[in-house]
Amino acid sequence: MPETIVLLDMTSPERADRLRALLPPGFVLIHGTARGDEHMKEIIAEADYAISGQVGVSAEVLRAAKKLKLLHKWGVGYDNIDIAAAKELGITVARTTGSNAVPVAEFALGLTLSALRFIAYGHAELKHGHWATGKLPGDTFMLSGKTVGIIGFGAIGQSLAKLLKGFGCTILYSKRQPLDAETEAAFGARYASLPEILAQADVVSLHCPLTPETANLIDAAAFKAMKKTAVLVNVARGGVVNEADLVAALRAREIAGAAMDVFSVEPLPADSELLTLDNLVVTPHLAAMAADNFAPTVKRMFDNMARVSRGESVPARDLVV
């Protein structure tokens, strides 16, 4: 009898077919067709394996699973999964460590350029028939030669540092444990404290996980410490930035601009104040999505499920609990 994999996120029939084309023998796949815990509880009930892309997975949803062996994060950040409940219930949790590093780093670079040069603003204005030359919300700045502060220097932050080398940027980074001098030299980066990064960086790019220590890390005090010409880029997690303080800082022009791909509430509500700002670029959590990265990541998830099916362990690099 085939084992069932459920994708908890809503997806299109076409995308589901792409997933099914990569399934190992002996597995079938179903997927979400509505939002919310009640629907997830229904579809996870008889599943052997589950995949979470962007949806959060609560203890209540996990307890509805009668025979779940493995919950796999499609990506890296698992802050919206109740890990304690999974551990209590004996459900293995895994992720695809490093799988989206290059796509997310490239997207962060794109957001940076858009925020510095008002690319998204000019695009939106022209779509409405407005030739915005000379009427931009602020000054535009080049990225070349600027100081970029990367907060969180794992696989994504390091991939961004590699991309920035071509722009001749000075790269500062912050992480729990500084790298050794040889590794720093390879990335062309220098360790700096958060206050140093905020004071010196022309671009502050967030790549840290959401933890109790990083929640609201970038708040009113942080914005006041940044250069008035600086931009903030967030492709990490929405909760790392205090969004009310961001709105206030952008309206007061305490910083020049920002670009956000992640938000404290997703999908972003249509009445969010973030949508009213002309010096903020917003995208709907797109950074990890790249068609040419789809198959390698999906095959890795399915391979981990096949391992569990054979009674083997998930590789250490992907194991969460």
Short mmCIF file of all heavy atoms in Angstrom, two decimals, residues 129-193:
data_model
loop_
_atom_site.label_atom_id
_atom_site.label_comp_id
_atom_site.label_asym_id
_atom_site.label_seq_id
_atom_site.Cartn_x
_atom_site.Cartn_y
_atom_site.Cartn_z
N GLY A 129 0.72 54.95 -15.97
CA GLY A 129 0.79 56.03 -16.95
C GLY A 129 1.54 57.26 -16.49
O GLY A 129 1.47 58.30 -17.13
N HIS A 130 2.29 57.15 -15.37
CA HIS A 130 3.00 58.31 -14.82
C HIS A 130 4.50 58.18 -15.11
O HIS A 130 5.13 57.21 -14.70
CB HIS A 130 2.79 58.42 -13.31
CG HIS A 130 1.35 58.47 -12.92
ND1 HIS A 130 0.89 57.93 -11.72
CD2 HIS A 130 0.26 58.99 -13.55
CE1 HIS A 130 -0.43 58.11 -11.66
NE2 HIS A 130 -0.82 58.74 -12.74
N TRP A 131 5.06 59.13 -15.81
CA TRP A 131 6.49 59.16 -16.09
C TRP A 131 7.16 59.84 -14.90
O TRP A 131 7.15 61.06 -14.76
CB TRP A 131 6.76 59.92 -17.38
CG TRP A 131 8.15 59.77 -17.91
CD1 TRP A 131 9.18 60.64 -17.74
CD2 TRP A 131 8.65 58.68 -18.69
NE1 TRP A 131 10.30 60.17 -18.36
CE2 TRP A 131 10.00 58.96 -18.97
CE3 TRP A 131 8.09 57.51 -19.19
CZ2 TRP A 131 10.81 58.12 -19.72
CZ3 TRP A 131 8.89 56.67 -19.94
CH2 TRP A 131 10.23 56.97 -20.20
N ALA A 132 7.75 59.03 -13.98
CA ALA A 132 8.12 59.52 -12.65
C ALA A 132 9.49 60.17 -12.57
O ALA A 132 9.94 60.53 -11.49
CB ALA A 132 8.04 58.38 -11.64
N THR A 133 10.19 60.31 -13.69
CA THR A 133 11.51 60.93 -13.65
C THR A 133 11.43 62.30 -12.99
O THR A 133 10.61 63.13 -13.37
CB THR A 133 12.07 61.07 -15.07
OG1 THR A 133 12.06 59.79 -15.70
CG2 THR A 133 13.51 61.60 -15.03
N GLY A 134 12.27 62.53 -12.01
CA GLY A 134 12.26 63.82 -11.32
C GLY A 134 11.22 63.93 -10.23
O GLY A 134 11.15 64.94 -9.54
N LYS A 135 10.40 62.87 -10.05
CA LYS A 135 9.36 62.91 -9.03
C LYS A 135 9.47 61.71 -8.09
O LYS A 135 8.48 61.23 -7.55
CB LYS A 135 7.98 62.90 -9.69
CG LYS A 135 7.72 64.08 -10.62
CD LYS A 135 6.38 63.97 -11.29
CE LYS A 135 6.16 65.10 -12.28
NZ LYS A 135 4.87 64.97 -13.01
N LEU A 136 10.67 61.22 -7.92
CA LEU A 136 10.88 60.06 -7.05
C LEU A 136 10.72 60.46 -5.58
O LEU A 136 10.90 61.63 -5.22
CB LEU A 136 12.27 59.48 -7.29
CG LEU A 136 12.53 58.92 -8.69
CD1 LEU A 136 13.98 58.49 -8.83
CD2 LEU A 136 11.59 57.77 -9.01
N PRO A 137 10.41 59.47 -4.72
CA PRO A 137 10.19 59.79 -3.30
C PRO A 137 11.44 60.21 -2.55
O PRO A 137 11.34 60.71 -1.42
CB PRO A 137 9.65 58.47 -2.73
CG PRO A 137 9.16 57.71 -3.91
CD PRO A 137 10.04 58.09 -5.04
N GLY A 138 12.59 60.02 -3.14
CA GLY A 138 13.84 60.39 -2.46
C GLY A 138 15.01 60.26 -3.41
O GLY A 138 14.85 60.01 -4.61
N ASP A 139 16.21 60.43 -2.88
CA ASP A 139 17.41 60.28 -3.69
C ASP A 139 17.65 58.81 -4.01
O ASP A 139 17.29 57.92 -3.24
CB ASP A 139 18.63 60.84 -2.93
CG ASP A 139 18.57 62.35 -2.78
OD1 ASP A 139 17.99 63.01 -3.67
OD2 ASP A 139 19.08 62.86 -1.77
N THR A 140 18.30 58.57 -5.13
CA THR A 140 18.70 57.21 -5.48
C THR A 140 20.20 57.06 -5.26
O THR A 140 20.96 58.03 -5.37
CB THR A 140 18.35 56.88 -6.94
OG1 THR A 140 19.03 57.80 -7.80
CG2 THR A 140 16.85 56.98 -7.18
N PHE A 141 20.61 55.82 -4.94
CA PHE A 141 22.01 55.57 -4.62
C PHE A 141 22.50 54.32 -5.33
O PHE A 141 21.75 53.35 -5.51
CB PHE A 141 22.19 55.37 -3.10
CG PHE A 141 21.79 56.57 -2.29
CD1 PHE A 141 20.51 56.68 -1.75
CD2 PHE A 141 22.70 57.60 -2.06
CE1 PHE A 141 20.14 57.78 -1.01
CE2 PHE A 141 22.33 58.71 -1.32
CZ PHE A 141 21.04 58.81 -0.78
N MET A 142 23.78 54.32 -5.69
CA MET A 142 24.41 53.12 -6.24
C MET A 142 24.75 52.15 -5.11
O MET A 142 24.94 52.56 -3.96
CB MET A 142 25.69 53.49 -6.99
CG MET A 142 25.48 54.36 -8.22
SD MET A 142 27.02 54.54 -9.18
CE MET A 142 28.09 55.35 -7.98
N LEU A 143 24.86 50.88 -5.47
CA LEU A 143 25.32 49.87 -4.52
C LEU A 143 26.85 49.78 -4.53
O LEU A 143 27.47 49.51 -3.51
CB LEU A 143 24.70 48.51 -4.85
CG LEU A 143 25.15 47.31 -4.02
CD1 LEU A 143 24.86 47.53 -2.53
CD2 LEU A 143 24.45 46.04 -4.51
N SER A 144 27.44 50.02 -5.68
CA SER A 144 28.89 49.88 -5.82
C SER A 144 29.64 50.72 -4.79
O SER A 144 29.37 51.92 -4.62
CB SER A 144 29.32 50.29 -7.23
OG SER A 144 28.78 49.41 -8.19
N GLY A 145 30.58 50.07 -4.11
CA GLY A 145 31.43 50.76 -3.15
C GLY A 145 30.81 51.03 -1.80
O GLY A 145 31.46 51.60 -0.92
N LYS A 146 29.56 50.61 -1.60
CA LYS A 146 28.89 50.88 -0.33
C LYS A 146 29.26 49.85 0.74
O LYS A 146 29.80 48.79 0.45
CB LYS A 146 27.37 50.87 -0.53
CG LYS A 146 26.85 51.96 -1.45
CD LYS A 146 27.11 53.35 -0.89
CE LYS A 146 26.40 54.44 -1.69
NZ LYS A 146 26.90 54.58 -3.06
N THR A 147 28.92 50.18 1.98
CA THR A 147 29.09 49.25 3.11
C THR A 147 27.79 48.51 3.34
O THR A 147 26.74 49.15 3.52
CB THR A 147 29.50 50.02 4.38
OG1 THR A 147 30.78 50.63 4.16
CG2 THR A 147 29.59 49.08 5.58
N VAL A 148 27.85 47.20 3.32
CA VAL A 148 26.67 46.36 3.52
C VAL A 148 26.84 45.56 4.81
O VAL A 148 27.86 44.88 4.99
CB VAL A 148 26.45 45.39 2.34
CG1 VAL A 148 25.23 44.51 2.60
CG2 VAL A 148 26.27 46.17 1.04
N GLY A 149 25.88 45.67 5.69
CA GLY A 149 25.88 44.90 6.93
C GLY A 149 24.95 43.71 6.80
O GLY A 149 23.76 43.88 6.51
N ILE A 150 25.48 42.52 6.97
CA ILE A 150 24.70 41.29 6.86
C ILE A 150 24.50 40.71 8.26
O ILE A 150 25.47 40.28 8.90
CB ILE A 150 25.41 40.26 5.94
CG1 ILE A 150 25.63 40.86 4.55
CG2 ILE A 150 24.60 38.97 5.85
CD1 ILE A 150 26.43 39.96 3.61
N ILE A 151 23.27 40.73 8.72
CA ILE A 151 22.96 40.24 10.07
C ILE A 151 22.45 38.81 9.95
O ILE A 151 21.34 38.56 9.46
CB ILE A 151 21.92 41.16 10.75
CG1 ILE A 151 22.50 42.57 10.89
CG2 ILE A 151 21.52 40.60 12.11
CD1 ILE A 151 21.53 43.59 11.44
N GLY A 152 23.27 37.87 10.41
CA GLY A 152 23.03 36.45 10.19
C GLY A 152 23.89 36.01 9.03
O GLY A 152 23.66 36.40 7.89
N PHE A 153 24.93 35.24 9.32
CA PHE A 153 25.92 34.93 8.28
C PHE A 153 26.03 33.42 8.09
O PHE A 153 27.12 32.85 8.12
CB PHE A 153 27.27 35.56 8.65
CG PHE A 153 28.14 35.87 7.47
CD1 PHE A 153 27.73 36.76 6.50
CD2 PHE A 153 29.39 35.28 7.33
CE1 PHE A 153 28.55 37.06 5.41
CE2 PHE A 153 30.22 35.56 6.25
CZ PHE A 153 29.80 36.46 5.28
N GLY A 154 24.86 32.79 7.88
CA GLY A 154 24.84 31.38 7.53
C GLY A 154 24.98 31.23 6.02
O GLY A 154 25.58 32.06 5.35
N ALA A 155 24.36 30.17 5.48
CA ALA A 155 24.52 29.88 4.05
C ALA A 155 24.00 31.01 3.18
O ALA A 155 24.61 31.36 2.16
CB ALA A 155 23.80 28.57 3.72
N ILE A 156 22.88 31.63 3.57
CA ILE A 156 22.30 32.70 2.74
C ILE A 156 23.15 33.97 2.84
O ILE A 156 23.50 34.58 1.83
CB ILE A 156 20.85 32.99 3.16
CG1 ILE A 156 19.97 31.75 2.93
CG2 ILE A 156 20.29 34.19 2.38
CD1 ILE A 156 18.57 31.86 3.50
N GLY A 157 23.49 34.36 4.05
CA GLY A 157 24.31 35.55 4.23
C GLY A 157 25.66 35.43 3.53
O GLY A 157 26.15 36.38 2.92
N GLN A 158 26.24 34.24 3.60
CA GLN A 158 27.52 34.03 2.94
C GLN A 158 27.39 34.06 1.43
O GLN A 158 28.26 34.57 0.72
CB GLN A 158 28.12 32.70 3.41
CG GLN A 158 28.56 32.73 4.87
CD GLN A 158 29.00 31.38 5.39
OE1 GLN A 158 29.15 30.42 4.64
NE2 GLN A 158 29.20 31.29 6.69
N SER A 159 26.27 33.52 0.92
CA SER A 159 26.03 33.58 -0.53
C SER A 159 25.87 35.02 -0.99
O SER A 159 26.35 35.40 -2.06
CB SER A 159 24.78 32.76 -0.90
OG SER A 159 24.99 31.38 -0.66
N LEU A 160 25.20 35.83 -0.18
CA LEU A 160 25.05 37.25 -0.52
C LEU A 160 26.42 37.94 -0.53
O LEU A 160 26.70 38.76 -1.42
CB LEU A 160 24.12 37.94 0.48
CG LEU A 160 23.91 39.44 0.27
CD1 LEU A 160 23.31 39.73 -1.10
CD2 LEU A 160 23.02 40.02 1.37
N ALA A 161 27.26 37.61 0.44
CA ALA A 161 28.59 38.22 0.49
C ALA A 161 29.36 37.93 -0.80
O ALA A 161 30.06 38.81 -1.33
CB ALA A 161 29.35 37.70 1.71
N LYS A 162 29.25 36.71 -1.31
CA LYS A 162 29.92 36.35 -2.56
C LYS A 162 29.42 37.22 -3.72
O LYS A 162 30.19 37.69 -4.55
CB LYS A 162 29.69 34.88 -2.89
CG LYS A 162 30.39 33.92 -1.94
CD LYS A 162 30.04 32.47 -2.33
CE LYS A 162 30.65 31.48 -1.36
NZ LYS A 162 30.26 30.08 -1.68
N LEU A 163 28.10 37.44 -3.77
CA LEU A 163 27.52 38.24 -4.84
C LEU A 163 27.99 39.71 -4.76
O LEU A 163 28.19 40.37 -5.77
CB LEU A 163 26.00 38.18 -4.79
CG LEU A 163 25.35 36.81 -5.04
CD1 LEU A 163 23.85 36.89 -4.80
CD2 LEU A 163 25.64 36.32 -6.44
N LEU A 164 28.13 40.19 -3.53
CA LEU A 164 28.48 41.59 -3.33
C LEU A 164 29.93 41.91 -3.68
O LEU A 164 30.29 43.08 -3.85
CB LEU A 164 28.20 41.99 -1.88
CG LEU A 164 26.72 42.08 -1.49
CD1 LEU A 164 26.58 42.22 0.02
CD2 LEU A 164 26.04 43.23 -2.21
N LYS A 165 30.75 40.87 -3.77
CA LYS A 165 32.16 41.11 -4.11
C LYS A 165 32.28 41.87 -5.42
O LYS A 165 33.14 42.74 -5.58
CB LYS A 165 32.90 39.78 -4.22
CG LYS A 165 33.38 39.22 -2.89
CD LYS A 165 34.27 38.00 -3.14
CE LYS A 165 34.90 37.52 -1.85
NZ LYS A 165 35.81 36.37 -2.10
N GLY A 166 31.40 41.53 -6.38
CA GLY A 166 31.47 42.17 -7.68
C GLY A 166 31.11 43.65 -7.66
O GLY A 166 31.38 44.38 -8.62
N PHE A 167 30.48 44.09 -6.56
CA PHE A 167 30.11 45.51 -6.44
C PHE A 167 31.16 46.30 -5.65
O PHE A 167 30.97 47.50 -5.43
CB PHE A 167 28.75 45.63 -5.74
CG PHE A 167 27.60 45.18 -6.59
CD1 PHE A 167 27.23 43.84 -6.62
CD2 PHE A 167 26.88 46.08 -7.37
CE1 PHE A 167 26.16 43.42 -7.41
CE2 PHE A 167 25.83 45.67 -8.16
CZ PHE A 167 25.47 44.33 -8.18
N GLY A 168 32.22 45.62 -5.23
CA GLY A 168 33.26 46.31 -4.48
C GLY A 168 32.79 46.82 -3.13
O GLY A 168 33.27 47.86 -2.64
N CYS A 169 31.85 46.11 -2.53
CA CYS A 169 31.28 46.56 -1.24
C CYS A 169 32.19 46.19 -0.07
O CYS A 169 32.89 45.17 -0.10
CB CYS A 169 29.92 45.91 -1.01
SG CYS A 169 28.64 46.47 -2.15
N THR A 170 32.16 47.01 0.94
CA THR A 170 32.72 46.65 2.24
C THR A 170 31.65 45.85 2.97
O THR A 170 30.52 46.32 3.13
CB THR A 170 33.08 47.90 3.05
OG1 THR A 170 34.10 48.63 2.36
CG2 THR A 170 33.56 47.54 4.45
N ILE A 171 32.00 44.64 3.39
CA ILE A 171 30.99 43.75 3.96
C ILE A 171 31.26 43.53 5.44
O ILE A 171 32.33 43.03 5.83
CB ILE A 171 30.97 42.39 3.23
CG1 ILE A 171 30.68 42.61 1.74
CG2 ILE A 171 29.92 41.46 3.84
CD1 ILE A 171 30.92 41.40 0.89
N LEU A 172 30.30 43.92 6.26
CA LEU A 172 30.33 43.64 7.69
C LEU A 172 29.31 42.54 7.97
O LEU A 172 28.27 42.49 7.33
CB LEU A 172 29.96 44.89 8.49
CG LEU A 172 30.74 46.18 8.18
CD1 LEU A 172 30.19 47.33 9.00
CD2 LEU A 172 32.22 45.99 8.43
N TYR A 173 29.62 41.67 8.91
CA TYR A 173 28.65 40.62 9.23
C TYR A 173 28.52 40.46 10.73
O TYR A 173 29.44 40.75 11.50
CB TYR A 173 29.04 39.29 8.58
CG TYR A 173 30.18 38.57 9.27
CD1 TYR A 173 29.92 37.63 10.28
CD2 TYR A 173 31.50 38.84 8.95
CE1 TYR A 173 30.97 36.98 10.93
CE2 TYR A 173 32.54 38.19 9.59
CZ TYR A 173 32.27 37.26 10.58
OH TYR A 173 33.30 36.63 11.23
N SER A 174 27.37 39.95 11.14
CA SER A 174 27.11 39.68 12.55
C SER A 174 26.57 38.27 12.68
O SER A 174 25.66 37.88 11.93
CB SER A 174 26.09 40.70 13.09
OG SER A 174 25.66 40.33 14.38
N LYS A 175 27.12 37.51 13.58
CA LYS A 175 26.61 36.18 13.92
C LYS A 175 27.07 35.83 15.33
O LYS A 175 27.90 36.52 15.91
CB LYS A 175 27.05 35.13 12.89
CG LYS A 175 28.51 34.79 12.89
CD LYS A 175 28.91 33.92 11.69
CE LYS A 175 28.19 32.60 11.57
NZ LYS A 175 28.63 31.58 12.52
N ARG A 176 26.50 34.74 15.86
CA ARG A 176 26.81 34.41 17.26
C ARG A 176 28.29 34.17 17.48
O ARG A 176 28.87 34.64 18.44
CB ARG A 176 26.00 33.17 17.68
CG ARG A 176 24.52 33.46 17.91
CD ARG A 176 23.78 32.21 18.30
NE ARG A 176 22.36 32.47 18.55
CZ ARG A 176 21.47 31.53 18.79
NH1 ARG A 176 21.84 30.26 18.82
NH2 ARG A 176 20.20 31.84 19.01
N GLN A 177 28.90 33.39 16.60
CA GLN A 177 30.31 33.08 16.72
C GLN A 177 31.05 33.62 15.49
O GLN A 177 30.79 33.17 14.37
CB GLN A 177 30.53 31.57 16.85
CG GLN A 177 29.94 30.97 18.12
CD GLN A 177 30.63 31.47 19.38
OE1 GLN A 177 31.83 31.75 19.36
NE2 GLN A 177 29.89 31.60 20.46
N PRO A 178 31.96 34.56 15.67
CA PRO A 178 32.71 35.08 14.51
C PRO A 178 33.48 33.96 13.80
O PRO A 178 33.88 32.97 14.41
CB PRO A 178 33.68 36.08 15.15
CG PRO A 178 33.05 36.45 16.46
CD PRO A 178 32.33 35.23 16.92
N LEU A 179 33.66 34.13 12.52
CA LEU A 179 34.44 33.18 11.72
C LEU A 179 35.92 33.39 11.97
O LEU A 179 36.35 34.44 12.47
CB LEU A 179 34.14 33.38 10.23
CG LEU A 179 32.67 33.23 9.81
CD1 LEU A 179 32.50 33.65 8.35
CD2 LEU A 179 32.20 31.79 10.01
N ASP A 180 36.73 32.39 11.61
CA ASP A 180 38.18 32.58 11.73
C ASP A 180 38.66 33.53 10.63
O ASP A 180 37.96 33.78 9.65
CB ASP A 180 38.91 31.24 11.64
CG ASP A 180 38.63 30.50 10.34
OD1 ASP A 180 39.14 30.94 9.29
OD2 ASP A 180 37.90 29.49 10.38
N ALA A 181 39.84 34.04 10.80
CA ALA A 181 40.37 35.07 9.90
C ALA A 181 40.46 34.59 8.46
O ALA A 181 40.19 35.34 7.52
CB ALA A 181 41.74 35.53 10.40
N GLU A 182 40.84 33.33 8.27
CA GLU A 182 40.98 32.79 6.92
C GLU A 182 39.64 32.75 6.20
O GLU A 182 39.54 33.11 5.02
CB GLU A 182 41.59 31.39 6.98
CG GLU A 182 41.88 30.79 5.61
CD GLU A 182 42.52 29.41 5.71
OE1 GLU A 182 42.88 28.99 6.83
OE2 GLU A 182 42.66 28.75 4.66
N THR A 183 38.58 32.32 6.92
CA THR A 183 37.24 32.24 6.31
C THR A 183 36.71 33.64 6.04
O THR A 183 36.10 33.89 4.99
CB THR A 183 36.27 31.48 7.23
OG1 THR A 183 36.84 30.20 7.56
CG2 THR A 183 34.93 31.28 6.55
N GLU A 184 36.94 34.57 6.96
CA GLU A 184 36.54 35.95 6.71
C GLU A 184 37.19 36.49 5.44
O GLU A 184 36.53 37.13 4.61
CB GLU A 184 36.93 36.84 7.90
CG GLU A 184 36.03 36.73 9.10
CD GLU A 184 36.29 37.83 10.12
OE1 GLU A 184 37.28 38.57 9.97
OE2 GLU A 184 35.49 37.95 11.05
N ALA A 185 38.45 36.20 5.28
CA ALA A 185 39.17 36.69 4.10
C ALA A 185 38.60 36.10 2.82
O ALA A 185 38.50 36.77 1.79
CB ALA A 185 40.65 36.35 4.23
N ALA A 186 38.17 34.84 2.88
CA ALA A 186 37.60 34.18 1.70
C ALA A 186 36.31 34.86 1.27
O ALA A 186 36.02 34.95 0.07
CB ALA A 186 37.36 32.70 1.99
N PHE A 187 35.54 35.33 2.23
CA PHE A 187 34.29 36.02 1.91
C PHE A 187 34.47 37.53 1.74
O PHE A 187 33.54 38.22 1.33
CB PHE A 187 33.24 35.77 3.00
CG PHE A 187 32.67 34.39 3.00
CD1 PHE A 187 32.95 33.50 4.02
CD2 PHE A 187 31.85 33.96 1.96
CE1 PHE A 187 32.43 32.21 4.02
CE2 PHE A 187 31.32 32.68 1.95
CZ PHE A 187 31.62 31.80 2.98
N GLY A 188 35.64 38.02 2.08
CA GLY A 188 35.86 39.46 2.01
C GLY A 188 35.00 40.20 3.01
O GLY A 188 34.51 41.30 2.73
N ALA A 189 34.80 39.60 4.18
CA ALA A 189 33.89 40.16 5.18
C ALA A 189 34.60 40.33 6.52
O ALA A 189 35.59 39.66 6.81
CB ALA A 189 32.69 39.24 5.35
N ARG A 190 34.08 41.24 7.32
CA ARG A 190 34.65 41.50 8.64
C ARG A 190 33.56 41.46 9.70
O ARG A 190 32.49 42.04 9.51
CB ARG A 190 35.35 42.87 8.65
CG ARG A 190 35.91 43.27 10.01
CD ARG A 190 36.69 44.57 9.93
NE ARG A 190 35.89 45.73 9.59
CZ ARG A 190 35.14 46.40 10.45
NH1 ARG A 190 35.05 46.04 11.71
NH2 ARG A 190 34.47 47.47 10.04
N TYR A 191 33.82 40.78 10.79
CA TYR A 191 32.85 40.71 11.89
C TYR A 191 32.66 42.10 12.52
O TYR A 191 33.61 42.86 12.69
CB TYR A 191 33.32 39.73 12.97
CG TYR A 191 32.40 39.69 14.17
CD1 TYR A 191 31.23 38.94 14.15
CD2 TYR A 191 32.69 40.44 15.31
CE1 TYR A 191 30.38 38.93 15.23
CE2 TYR A 191 31.85 40.43 16.40
CZ TYR A 191 30.69 39.67 16.37
OH TYR A 191 29.84 39.67 17.44
N ALA A 192 31.41 42.41 12.85
CA ALA A 192 31.10 43.67 13.53
C ALA A 192 29.92 43.45 14.46
O ALA A 192 29.08 42.58 14.22
CB ALA A 192 30.79 44.76 12.52
N SER A 193 29.85 44.22 15.49
CA SER A 193 28.70 44.15 16.40
C SER A 193 27.48 44.78 15.72
O SER A 193 27.61 45.53 14.74
CB SER A 193 29.00 44.89 17.70
OG SER A 193 29.12 46.29 17.45
#
